Amino acid sequence: MMRQYELVERVQRYDPQADEDLLNRAYVYAMKAHGTQTRASGEAYFSHPLEVAAILTDMKLDSATIAAALLHDTVEDTEATHGEIVDKFGFEIAALVDGLTKIKKLDVVTKEATQAENLRKLLLAMAKDVRVLLVKLADRLHNMRTLHHVKPEKRQRIAQETMEIYAPLAGRMGMQLVREEMEDIAFKVLDPSTAEFINGRLERLRAESGSILTEIEGALRQALEEHGIAAEVSGREKKPYSIYRKMQRKHLSLDQLADIFGFRVLLDNVDECYLSLGVVHQKWFAVPGRFKDYISSPKANDYRSIHTTVIGPHSQRVEMQIRTKSMHEIAERGVAAHALYKEGAGSASAVEDSSAYKWLRHLVETLQEGESPKEFLEHTRLELFHDQVFCFTPKGKLIALPRGATPIDFAYALHTSIGDSCVGCKINGRTAALVTKLENGDEVVIIRSDAASPPPAWEAIVVTGKAKSAIRRATRADIRKQYAHIGRELVEKLLARQKLELNEKEAVAAVPRLGHKNLDDALAAIGRGDLSANDLAKAMGLEIEAKNLRGLRKRNSKESDGKFSLPVRGAAAGMAMKIHAATGAVPGERIVGIVTPGEGITIYPIYADALEQFDQEPDRWVDLAWGVAEEGQRFPARIAINIANEVGALAQVTQVIGEHGSNIDELTLHAHHGVRDFYDLVILLEVTDIRHLNVIMNELKAKPLVSDVSRVTG
Ligand code: MN
């Protein structure tokens, strides 16, 4: 166990003005208070607060923080009281100890709600004084280091919590060393086989690469020296967990992950950083897309550094971080590094200027707005894991979103009803697309329409969980409404053919016989194809014979009789109706629908070969007619082009299509059977209607290299 004078010496090494008397008193008081208590390891309990204090001396923290670390478990675990701490050590230290006492229960978390509530307390306590957080993180780090003494079941829980909350929190505060150590210990507990596998591979790579590390180090140092730059160069192996995370994120195997070694170049000033970058890029090839300048635009946790990857002397990828020594301090120790520049009791003030700490304050402000504990936990986890963008409402309310968030996420963050009715937005006063990625400081105005509902495609665009689930919910409700609408029309058309009208009362009375709760449910089932319109008619006591629409096809009728047709409004993915993919279908051409149980209606052009398979199932046929398309709405049509195998032929085709404002969604090339000098192009076009399609097809036919153009019939 560390002696009293040893601890004092450690502090005095970086802080000659350290309050020696305070440290001595805290040491003695805590040792006496814990008395004969022991830890799971069998050691004296006092060894724990002492080690926590030692970790904080590595972070070069002030005497008050070290004293608070020594005392951090006294009020909760011993006879000591808050009043006594105030009497003996004064208000500043008592407040720190009090903060730590309040969050002490965080260590015995079971239920998610309790965990959230405790996290809330932790954040509130540390927002008052960031030193509470620093002691808490050191406390958790020491508990992680001694985790093997704890019972397996409890070990799992502590490791999980460390991985989810403390490690990201340390990272968010810029304390990378603490974060990495926590993650690696937790990783070994939570996923021992993967951790072992990565460690094994690392050992092999280490043996294989042998002296490469020192060789590259030397080459780097020499190149910089030649340009008169004195740099501290060091190579290091990445930590197993950070390698694992990278493999996950980039879907790579360990073998593909070439850059498991990283090099650091530490310099005296910013100019030298950029000079060094120049030297490195002059000497070795840079890997494209890997250069990042966090010196000119620091990360949200105050991290500053230049990153680049080059192809090194043995053709391997070499990742490099170039930064000044003071940037390096902050990179490794984060908020704790800011404490270096402060003096005495006002120690928290320098820290408060750091943007990591501002983030913390902001987080605390949002949690005071009274989210439910569970939501809060989810929210905080997300916040910890992602870099943030902070945006504003026109009234200046701050909305924090994960990086990559869109105005749609912003709208849902304000309120679900705002997200659901959102149709457009303005960013910083300018009209912008809803898919725009928001930037820090953006002021966002959401434009709403009560008639709107969120398109299903938004689900893939948004990044926040809140927006995703709300869109999914709205889409489900919307599709159900569409199905019910289709179902109602199907029933009405069926009855109209018999010159009957739908009697709402009789229908409602018949619904229980079909096993449905209410008429809307039954109609949605009909629209979805789970029930036929005829089933409802029968349940209402009506006998109706199905009409075979196949006759329409045989007559090759161009126009529907309209009377029995359903209007096709939206036919996009995720809607209750969809267009048959193999042929496509466009407004202006005769269409029919086929009902498939559980899937709804598929729209076919009347000439589609695929319709033959439904000949024996007249019940599934629905007569359809095109409704009015929305402005700019496009429909798919698949065409086949027989074309000469000559230079420029493909360009001619794509040019015609482009000139007419159509898009190519898919393009496949088939060798033409028997005829060597021609091939078939099959193209899925997007057009507004049949006229648009015909213009394009006719113009294609007129091209000299095109021998034939036709619709694909399935
Ligand atoms: Mn403790």
Side-chain angles (χ1 to χ4, degrees):
M1 211 188 293
M2 199 192 302
R3 303 289 184 82
Q4 200 170 328
Y5 71 89
E6 284 175 292
L7 180 72
V8 173
E9 271 177 14
R10 281 178 82 134
V11 180
Q12 279 172 336
R13 228 171 284 152
Y14 61 85
D15 183 6
Q17 264 105 63
D19 188 341
E20 196 179 332
D21 173 55
L22 169 67
L23 293 171
N24 283 327
R25 280 187 294 124
Y27 187 104
V28 172
Y29 182 86
M31 187 169 64
K32 280 190 181 155
H34 286 293
T36 54
Q37 287 176 350
T38 54
R39 302 198 87 213
S41 61
E43 271 184 288
Y45 192 93
F46 180 60
S47 65
H48 165 66
L50 194 53
E51 282 303 321
V52 174
I55 290 169
L56 293 164
T57 63
D58 289 340
M59 297 182 194
K60 302 182 183 161
L61 289 164
D62 65 326
S63 312
T65 312
I66 307 295
L70 290 168
L71 300 169
H72 83 271
D73 280 333
T74 54
V75 174
E76 176 73 18
D77 294 344
T78 75
E79 306 282 291
T81 64
H82 179 64
E84 211 174 72
I85 304 278
V86 175
D87 285 349
K88 287 195 170 2
F89 299 98
F91 284 108
E92 185 194 0
I93 288 166
L96 291 173
V97 175
D98 188 45
L100 288 154
T101 306
K102 282 193 177 126
I103 55 181
K104 168 78 183 179
K105 288 187 189 71
L106 208 63
D107 296 336
V108 284
V109 183
T110 44
K111 285 190 213 102
E112 205 166 51
T114 333
Q115 191 182 4
E117 199 42 53
N118 283 325
L119 179 58
R120 190 196 289 256
K121 277 186 205 151
L122 167 67
L123 293 172
L124 282 168
M126 67 199 198
K128 281 193 202 128
D129 190 329
V130 77
R131 291 175 296 178
V132 172
L133 170 64
L134 297 178
V135 178
K136 187 66 206 173
L137 288 174
D139 177 36
R140 176 51 64 110
L141 181 58
H142 183 246
N143 285 337
M144 289 302 286
R145 283 180 185 169
T146 52
L147 196 57
H148 51 280
H149 295 299
V150 171
K151 281 193 216 100
E153 186 247 9
K154 199 179 166 195
R155 202 185 298 162
Q156 282 280 330
R157 209 173 56 219
I158 293 174
Q160 185 79 35
E161 192 188 57
T162 301
M163 200 63 124
E164 285 182 357
I165 293 182
Y166 290 99
L169 200 50
R172 202 59 187 67
M173 292 292 113
M175 302 159 78
Q176 293 314 326
L177 291 180
V178 174
R179 177 201 183 140
E180 283 180 354
E181 191 178 344
M182 282 181 175
E183 281 175 348
D184 273 323
I185 301 170
F187 185 38
K188 275 180 212 139
V189 173
L190 296 172
D191 192 352
S193 57
T194 309
E196 209 169 288
F197 166 76
I198 291 178
N199 268 320
R201 291 282 304 149
L202 274 179
E203 250 163 58
R204 259 183 55 199
L205 279 169
R206 216 173 285 143
E208 282 167 16
S209 48
S211 59
I212 281 190
L213 213 66
T214 44
E215 200 179 313
I216 296 175
E217 245 182 69
L220 246 174
R221 195 173 292 122
Q222 199 194 331
L224 292 168
E225 262 168 27
E226 280 166 16
H227 287 79
I229 305 166
E232 272 177 34
V233 179
S234 60
R236 65 164 215 148
E237 196 177 84
K238 288 188 184 157
K239 291 276 191 259
Y241 183 71
S242 89
I243 290 172
Y244 172 73
R245 197 167 39 200
K246 201 161 191 175
M247 285 164 62
Q248 295 274 309
R249 200 173 57 225
K250 303 198 169 164
H251 306 288
L252 293 174
S253 71
L254 194 53
D255 295 316
Q256 291 170 292
L257 203 70
D259 38 3
I260 53 165
F261 298 113
F263 291 84
R264 274 195 193 129
V265 181
L266 302 185
L267 301 137
D268 288 326
N269 57 55
V270 174
D271 282 352
E272 281 182 354
C273 294
Y274 288 101
L275 274 175
S276 306
L277 177 71
V279 171
V280 167
H281 279 188
Q282 229 174 338
K283 192 164 172 69
W284 295 293
F285 285 111
V287 178
R290 296 297 304 265
F291 171 71
K292 287 195 190 87
D293 184 357
Y294 295 118
I295 289 185
S296 63
S297 47
K299 287 194 188 182
N301 62 7
D302 303 316
Y303 177 84
R304 297 178 78 194
S305 189
I306 291 171
H307 289 190
T308 189
T309 303
V310 296
I311 305 297
H314 292 280
S315 306
Q316 78 286 57
R317 287 151 67 106
V318 178
E319 202 179 77
M320 248 174 256
Q321 299 172 337
I322 302 171
R323 57 202 183 211
T324 68
K325 285 164 193 160
S326 64
M327 288 173 191
H328 182 61
E329 279 284 303
I330 292 171
E332 296 211 311
R333 304 197 288 115
V335 276
H338 291 281
L340 263 184
Y341 311 107
K342 49 78 212 168
E343 320 233 296
S347 51
S349 67
V351 171
E352 273 168 18
D353 287 337
S354 72
S355 57
Y357 193 58
K358 280 180 190 142
W359 167 82
L360 184 64
R361 299 294 307 219
H362 161 71
L363 187 62
V364 171
E365 274 159 29
T366 53
L367 74 93
Q368 279 168 331
E369 279 168 20
E371 281 174 280
S372 82
K374 211 182 152 197
E375 263 172 357
F376 168 68
L377 186 63
E378 211 39 61
H379 174 78
T380 307
R381 272 193 196 131
L382 282 174
E383 293 238 339
L384 289 171
F385 277 107
H386 289 84
D387 269 355
Q388 300 293 292
V389 282
F390 296 110
C391 300
F392 298 91
T393 67
K395 283 182 185 163
K397 188 182 174 200
L398 188 63
I399 304 291
L401 295 163
R403 198 162 284 284
T406 62
I408 306 169
D409 292 290
F410 184 91
Y412 277 107
L414 292 173
H415 197 274
T416 306
S417 69
I418 298 178
D420 282 347
S421 59
C422 152
V423 289
C425 70
K426 281 185 177 175
I427 300 175
N428 304 323
R430 284 191 171 167
T431 304
L434 284 170
V435 296
T436 313
K437 283 191 173 39
L438 292 172
E439 302 276 353
N440 264 323
D442 278 347
E443 187 194 284
V444 186
V445 177
I446 297 296
I447 299 159
R448 303 169 63 184
S449 158
D450 285 339
S453 61
W458 278 6
E459 200 194 318
I461 295 165
V462 299
V463 300
T464 52
K466 188 176 180 194
K468 268 193 205 303
S469 59
I471 292 164
R472 225 174 289 140
R473 215 163 35 239
T475 306
R476 263 201 310 272
D478 207 40
I479 289 182
R480 194 181 167 283
K481 231 160 67 190
Q482 287 179 41
Y483 278 137
H485 184 77
I486 293 169
R488 178 174 288 272
E489 296 208 34
L490 284 174
V491 174
E492 281 174 356
K493 303 302 177 207
L494 179 75
L495 296 176
R497 266 188 234 133
Q498 311 294 318
K499 305 207 162 31
L500 296 168
E501 270 180 28
L502 178 64
N503 181 322
E504 203 90 5
K505 254 192 188 164
E506 285 175 24
V508 169
V511 159
R513 272 169 247 157
L514 296 165
H516 284 274
K517 282 200 281 292
N518 54 51
L519 184 56
D520 262 357
D521 259 7
L523 291 175
I526 292 169
R528 211 166 37 235
D530 291 341
L531 197 66
S532 80
N534 221 348
D535 289 338
L536 180 63
K538 272 187 206 149
M540 290 164 69
L542 304 165
E543 202 59 51
I544 296 168
E545 209 178 303
K547 179 186 170 195
N548 192 345
L549 287 182
R550 194 68 184 162
L552 290 169
R553 184 166 189 246
K554 290 201 180 104
R555 291 200 307 274
N556 200 16
S557 94
K558 282 221 170 88
E559 286 302 316
S560 150
D561 55 10
K563 208 164 130 197
F564 298 131
S565 63
L566 270 178
V568 179
R569 293 183 192 94
M575 299 288 213
M577 285 194 185
K578 61 175 185 290
I579 292 173
H580 181 51
T583 53
V586 299
E589 66 185 349
R590 179 77 183 87
I591 47 172
V592 292
I594 296 292
V595 179
T596 305
E599 284 177 23
I601 294 176
T602 306
I603 301 164
Y604 292 80
I606 194 83
Y607 58 77
D609 295 336
L611 284 171
E612 274 170 31
Q613 61 183 303
F614 306 113
D615 271 353
Q616 305 310 315
E617 301 172 89
D619 272 356
R620 294 181 62 186
W621 290 66
V622 186
D623 195 4
L624 298 177
W626 293 99
V628 181
E630 283 166 39
E631 180 71 25
Q633 199 179 349
R634 300 301 187 100
F635 298 85
R638 203 178 288 271
I639 61 170
I641 305 168
N642 185 238
I643 193 171
N645 189 5
E646 274 179 39
V647 177
L650 189 59
Q652 273 189 6
V653 170
T654 54
Q655 193 189 352
V656 168
I657 292 167
E659 274 171 5
H660 287 282
S662 168
N663 285 331
I664 297 179
D665 261 6
E666 257 178 60
L667 187 150
T668 47
L669 214 67
H670 304 274
H672 203 291
H673 293 294
V675 193
R676 265 177 51 203
D677 298 334
F678 285 84
Y679 54 86
D680 279 330
L681 265 183
V682 176
I683 296 179
L684 184 61
L685 289 176
E686 277 186 344
V687 293
T688 49
D689 56 19
I690 192 79
R691 277 177 50 208
H692 188 198
L693 178 63
N694 285 340
V695 168
I696 292 170
M697 287 175 71
N698 285 332
E699 200 154 317
L700 284 171
K701 274 178 200 160
K703 290 286 169 191
L705 295 175
V706 172
S707 78
D708 188 35
V709 181
S710 59
R711 283 293 289 279
V712 171
T713 59

